[in-house]
Amino acid sequence: MKDVRVVYRKYGGALHWHHAGRLLGEDSHGVWVEVPSGTVARKGTDPPITWPTAVTMLFPRDGWWTASFNHLPNRTEIYVDVTTIPEWRDDEVTMLDLDLDVIRMRDGRLILDDEDEFALHQVLLDYPPDLIIRAQRTADWLMNAVGKRKGPFNGAHLAWLSKATQT
């Protein structure tokens, strides 16, 4: 498998979460990346942390989001970041994190997280009006798609999970 770098930035370019991954492949939903348990990640320049559980990530070709499908025993089943469209350059995927997150817990609860951070950053980071509207519309769409298990949120990751665990 090919190694890749996953780099999230904040609006304005500040480094956010970044870590290594392994390219699994592509399908109609986008590009799939494995992030094994034990991966070391950093939030900006904060001290590194080690993730205890594996994650299978999906980077859509034209969606304003990225998805993390958390492996057991993580209590969060799916964590979707509202972002700009992921861009690939060589072995790196990067995007701007737009604060809002849609989370589906394993018990079925659906959460729209970080609305307060999104409101704060609209002012603090001077989000343009079209970016605010796009992020809000994406969050609404994701709440529906993740909640109703539509598209890639209806088990599409399982085939990639089995591929990741076979290698």
Side-chain angles (χ1 to χ4, degrees):
M1 275 188 273
K2 181 178 178 182
D3 290 339
V4 297
R5 290 286 308 154
V6 177
V7 180
Y8 288 86
R9 293 188 175 275
K10 286 298 194 177
Y11 187 79
L15 189 59
H16 194 46
W17 283 106
H18 52 106
H19 56 82
R22 293 185 202 136
L23 183 66
L24 291 171
E26 298 183 46
D27 66 10
S28 61
H29 300 295
V31 179
W32 295 85
V33 172
E34 173 189 24
V35 182
S37 61
T39 293
V40 175
R42 292 183 79 167
K43 185 176 185 179
T45 58
D46 290 352
I49 63 166
T50 302
W51 288 346
T53 57
V55 176
T56 299
M57 298 185 79
L58 172 59
F59 300 96
R61 288 178 196 81
D62 59 3
W64 281 67
W65 53 270
T66 63
S68 297
F69 299 86
N70 296 306
H71 300 212
L72 288 168
N74 196 310
R75 293 178 312 187
T76 301
E77 180 182 9
I78 301 173
Y79 192 104
V80 186
D81 289 283
V82 174
T83 68
T84 57
I85 296 171
E87 295 181 18
W88 286 90
R89 287 189 198 95
D90 300 319
D91 298 334
E92 181 176 284
V93 61
T94 188
M95 64 249 70
L96 299 179
D97 181 291
L98 300 175
D99 312 312
L100 296 171
D101 306 304
V102 174
I103 303 166
R104 187 169 77 205
M105 304 301 288
R106 292 204 187 278
D107 65 10
R109 285 180 294 138
L110 191 64
I111 301 163
L112 177 59
D113 198 25
D114 291 335
E115 291 177 281
D116 55 342
E117 184 180 337
F118 180 62
L120 177 66
H121 285 168
Q122 289 176 44
V123 175
L124 195 64
L125 299 177
D126 197 25
Y127 287 178
D130 60 327
L131 187 75
I132 295 167
I133 292 167
R134 178 63 112 159
Q136 290 171 324
R137 286 183 180 160
T138 299
D140 291 343
W141 179 84
L142 286 166
M143 287 293 287
N144 182 56
V146 174
K148 293 183 178 178
R149 300 175 188 266
K150 294 180 180 178
F153 309 109
N154 189 22
H157 68 288
L158 296 175
W160 297 102
L161 172 62
S162 66
K163 183 176 181 177
T165 57
Q166 290 175 9
T167 56

